Amino acid sequence: MFRLSLVLPLAALLVPAAASAAAPVLPLPVPQKQGTVSVESALAARRSVRAFTNEALTVAELGQLLWAAQGVSGPDGKRTAPSARHLYPLELAVVVQNVEGLARGSYRYVPARHALELLAPARGGDPMLTRATSQPQVHAAPVVFVVAAVYERMDAGARSTTWTDYEAGLASENLLLQVVALRLAAVVVGGMDPAAVREAVRFTGHERVIVLIPAGHPAG
């Protein structure tokens, strides 16, 4: 089974050094750019999976999935998913429910730094997205990716929504193919309350939630 090696000490992630009191930033392991699964194999194997085991993800796996969706892939700052006029309206967050060495809570992905910024710690025993959806796969998955957008960034008039939603689809498919390459599983979930998701993860700007993608180790 292909697994990425964790290059950062887990202890550093248990008690991260905060860049500021309000927004601790956690650097992620350097993403891998060569794997053992071909694009063709990943395309053929990709399926929607709604049942996950209790096995945790590693921080390296989480970082690789985030990078596949929105990571910087070149010195010019361009990302893995194309964006019209390189305006990058997407915001990618992740609800961490079971990741080795990483506290439960919601985090924003910071592509330029390949890092996580804490949005809100989990409180109590209930899943963070309980009020946002009743779909069990969301609450059972070790991680739930939240694909959102600030549509105003696209600045393309009537085409802003179309172009931004198209970009969200491109980033989501990148993530889904990386899931297959890591021998993991995922499913796209549209049956949720976007406003409740936004409140749960503690987005603070003009982000609008588009879709959720729970991911983990497949059951069965």
Side-chain angles (χ1 to χ4, degrees):
M1 178 177 178
F2 173 56
R3 291 175 66 89
L4 297 171
S5 59
L6 182 60
V7 299
L8 291 180
L10 291 178
L13 294 171
L14 287 168
V15 186
S20 69
V25 175
L26 311 176
L28 291 163
V30 176
Q32 301 295 312
K33 297 182 180 179
Q34 290 186 338
T36 60
V37 177
S38 69
V39 173
E40 295 81 5
S41 295
L43 287 167
R46 191 220 57 78
R47 294 293 183 272
S48 295
V49 177
R50 295 173 174 82
F52 307 103
T53 71
N54 293 326
E55 185 177 354
L57 292 191
T58 66
V59 176
E61 288 169 333
L62 173 58
Q64 189 71 26
L65 292 170
L66 290 164
W67 177 83
Q70 277 290 281
V72 174
S73 55
D76 56 2
K78 292 181 180 178
R79 300 185 188 178
T80 53
S83 180
R85 296 185 291 168
H86 315 303
L87 293 175
Y88 302 114
L90 299 187
E91 288 289 340
L92 185 61
V94 60
V95 176
V96 170
Q97 301 182 135
N98 189 12
V99 175
E100 295 175 3
L102 190 58
R104 292 173 59 244
S106 61
Y107 299 80
R108 184 195 305 272
Y109 180 54
V110 185
R113 301 175 65 176
H114 188 54
L116 293 175
E117 176 187 82
L118 179 65
L119 292 173
R123 300 190 183 280
D126 292 336
M128 292 189 76
L129 297 173
T130 297
R131 296 182 180 180
T133 181
S134 61
Q135 297 200 37
Q137 65 267 28
V138 172
H139 309 307
V143 297
V144 182
F145 297 95
V146 180
V147 182
V150 179
Y151 285 93
E152 294 81 1
R153 287 183 194 160
M154 184 53 70
D155 190 25
R159 297 172 294 183
S160 293
T161 299
T162 299
W163 289 2
T164 300
D165 288 346
Y166 184 74
E167 185 173 334
L170 295 169
S172 296
E173 183 69 358
N174 279 6
L175 193 157
L176 294 171
L177 293 177
Q178 183 69 79
V179 161
V180 174
L182 295 179
R183 307 290 199 270
L184 299 172
V187 62
V188 175
V189 174
M192 48 81 189
D193 181 343
V197 174
R198 187 181 186 282
E199 180 180 358
V201 302
R202 295 294 189 270
F203 277 136
T204 57
H206 297 284
E207 304 93 340
R208 282 186 274 175
V209 175
I210 300 172
V211 75
L212 302 178
I213 303 178
H217 294 273

